[in-house]
Amino acid sequence: MRPDELPLNLEPSLVEAVLKAGRHETIVKMVGRQDMPPAMIHEIAKHKAPDVRLSVARNPSIADGTLHMLAQDDEAKIRTATIPTLTQRLSPTAAKKPTSKDKDAIKSLARLAEDELASVRRQVTKSVIGLKSPPPSIINTLAQDLDRAVAEPILTGAAQLDEDVLQQIIEHYPPPWVLKAVAQRKQLGPKLTHEIVEHRDAEAAGLILDNEGAVIDDASFGIMVEMAEDNEALQEPLALHPALPRDDAVRLAYFSGERILGMLKKA
């Protein structure tokens, strides 16, 4: 029996017959169907052929227990295939009031968020970043990943990210891309803003000045004005920033050109 010869309805007897004597491509096609008997899917999930297990992992009707089992599969592509379904099955309250099902799913996702392969961890980021309220433990783990493709979307866009975790990341001399990612967050408090500015990265400072959600204290403005003497790109955004203290505006005017001086006078 070829894959296209499978009937509209799968009977258990037919499933058993195909598994025993069917073509391999027919088995792969069959186990990916939503009308597969759940109990049989769980047994097939232990099949020795990776592409059969992969088809099971992608089956939307897979039972939770089978899904969690495949999330620990030796094959990375199979572990990766379970991530979208694990994420989709989280309840709306999973972040604050997880159900027992949520806890099991979060446990599997937490393990995958620390997978040895970056490709697996990247899929976790891709799946959870779209959630309205992703589990904080998963977000905090991904934010500290050394792989840029894993951490950067979380650092920039995950609103639920713990500020203590962010501060810890910034304090430990992160690479410039980390500073830039955090500097673009929609909400940035003065303490975190100051810690970014203290690294004296001109690009990160420029992003903070352009970020309407960043609260900048006077000390941070003072550092950025010092930086602007050697980084002309900071002079205009500083001059145009509505919160620039008067004393810092005077200091900026002292070494900037006539164009910036005109902006400061107008402000």
Side-chain angles (χ1 to χ4, degrees):
M1 181 180 289
R2 297 190 305 271
D4 58 359
E5 293 177 330
L6 286 168
L8 292 176
N9 298 307
L10 293 175
E11 297 293 335
S13 58
L14 174 64
V15 173
E16 290 180 359
V18 172
L19 289 172
K20 286 181 180 178
R23 295 183 179 187
H24 186 74
E25 61 269 26
T26 303
I27 295 174
V28 172
K29 176 73 172 179
M30 180 181 69
V31 301
R33 287 181 44 163
Q34 294 190 48
D35 58 343
M36 275 288 295
M40 300 187 81
I41 289 181
H42 187 75
E43 290 305 312
I44 297 167
K46 303 172 186 177
H47 201 283
K48 64 180 181 180
D51 55 346
V52 172
R53 303 199 306 276
L54 179 62
S55 186
V56 173
R58 290 173 173 167
N59 190 324
S61 63
I62 185 173
D64 290 337
T66 309
L67 186 64
H68 297 313
M69 180 180 75
L70 290 176
Q72 301 180 62
D73 196 276
D74 290 338
E75 294 284 334
K77 61 184 178 182
I78 296 173
R79 299 196 301 275
T80 303
T82 66
I83 295 169
T85 305
L86 283 167
T87 307
Q88 290 163 10
R89 292 189 180 180
L90 291 171
S91 73
T93 62
K96 294 183 178 180
K97 293 182 178 180
T99 63
S100 58
K101 280 189 172 185
D102 288 331
K103 290 177 181 178
D104 289 338
I106 290 171
K107 185 177 179 180
S108 289
L109 285 169
R111 189 182 299 110
L112 292 163
E114 295 181 332
D115 196 273
E116 61 181 357
L117 294 181
S119 60
V120 177
R121 305 195 306 274
R122 289 173 183 177
Q123 181 60 54
V124 179
T125 290
K126 184 178 179 181
S127 294
V128 302
I129 197 67
L131 294 176
K132 187 175 181 180
S133 297
S137 59
I138 308 299
I139 293 296
N140 292 341
T141 296
L142 295 171
Q144 298 174 73
D145 202 284
L146 298 178
D147 185 273
R148 183 171 183 175
V150 175
E152 189 171 46
I154 302 296
L155 292 170
T156 303
Q160 296 79 9
L161 187 53
D162 193 321
E163 187 159 324
D164 290 338
V165 172
L166 280 171
Q167 289 175 354
Q168 189 176 21
I169 292 170
I170 298 300
E171 286 172 1
H172 289 82
Y173 301 98
W177 64 263
V178 171
L179 295 173
K180 296 180 184 67
V182 179
Q184 296 176 71
R185 292 179 62 78
K186 289 183 178 180
Q187 299 296 327
L188 209 56
K191 184 176 180 181
L192 195 54
T193 298
H194 184 72
E195 289 179 1
I196 295 172
V197 171
E198 281 192 315
H199 284 271
R200 294 179 179 268
D201 183 286
E203 289 186 43
L207 289 169
I208 284 174
L209 289 169
D210 290 337
N211 185 348
E212 293 182 358
V215 179
I216 309 174
D217 61 15
D218 290 356
S220 296
F221 274 119
I223 294 172
M224 287 191 284
V225 168
E226 288 178 12
M227 293 169 61
E229 188 166 2
D230 297 319
N231 296 277
E232 291 186 11
L234 292 177
Q235 294 179 9
E236 182 172 338
L238 275 168
L240 294 174
H241 202 286
L244 181 68
R246 182 177 180 82
D247 289 347
D248 288 317
V250 172
R251 290 171 57 207
L252 180 61
Y254 181 76
F255 58 76
S256 58
E258 289 186 10
R259 187 173 68 88
I260 301 300
L261 182 59
M263 291 180 183
L264 288 167
K265 287 180 178 178
K266 187 176 180 180

